[in-house]
Amino acid sequence: MIIRRARITDANGIAKVHVDSWRTTYKNIVPDSFLDKLSYEQRTELWKRNISEEGNYVFVAENDAGEIVGFASGGKRENNHKENAGDLTAIYILESYQGKGIGRRLVDPMFRQFEELGYTTIFVEVLEQNKSRYFYKALGAKWCDSEKITIGGAELDLLIFKWDLDSKIGL
């Protein structure tokens, strides 16, 4: 498994992981009608922009066949007004590759990037019903807030966790 910085040519592979992961991760959480409308083409364009945008950092996990099987992205969200703070904005791994340590391996270069930027606090948002919240807790993230959001007409609870990089995280 290779973990590396994403290139613009990775946008299609990232989009496939993004859509497929949403469909497995959020099944029975987000309405099927919303998940069915997800498009590889739209997500490819989104990831071309994300990879190209200054201040966004995207890392991919590539299997031995050169296929992207996971990714992590981060930077600073527009609504993050906390000084010296960043956001882990996404981490998705194809279901068949989960539980193999790839998530930890993707988070590592992201957090090194955050440290280089001088970030001392990192936030991550996760739906309450998403079992990946346990992954963040295992890495030392602490719950700090929650809010209601709507996706596809469903009202959901969004949990916000944070890491203080001054303290050791579980990497």
Side-chain angles (χ1 to χ4, degrees), residues 23-113:
R23 288 181 176 154
T24 57
T25 301
Y26 300 121
K27 181 132 183 85
N28 301 319
I29 298 173
V30 172
D32 287 343
S33 59
F34 181 87
L35 297 175
D36 292 343
K37 290 179 187 172
L38 295 175
S39 154
Y40 295 132
E41 293 78 18
Q42 288 175 333
R43 293 293 164 143
T44 297
E45 292 308 310
L46 169 79
W47 284 104
K48 284 180 183 176
R49 288 190 305 274
N50 286 344
I51 293 166
S52 300
E53 192 171 312
E54 188 175 337
N56 280 346
Y57 303 92
V58 183
F59 295 90
V60 296
E62 193 177 80
N63 68 14
D64 294 338
E67 302 163 325
I68 294 172
V69 299
F71 71 91
S73 66
K76 188 169 182 93
R77 293 183 194 270
E78 286 183 24
N79 64 347
N80 181 347
H81 302 293
K82 182 170 172 47
E83 191 172 329
N84 301 320
D87 300 278
L88 178 61
T89 53
I91 183 166
Y92 290 102
I93 299 163
L94 293 175
E95 189 173 48
S96 60
Y97 285 87
Q98 292 174 10
K100 300 177 187 301
I102 297 168
R104 286 178 183 264
R105 291 190 57 202
L106 281 166
V107 169
D108 183 54
M110 185 66 65
F111 274 70
R112 280 189 270 124
Q113 180 67 58

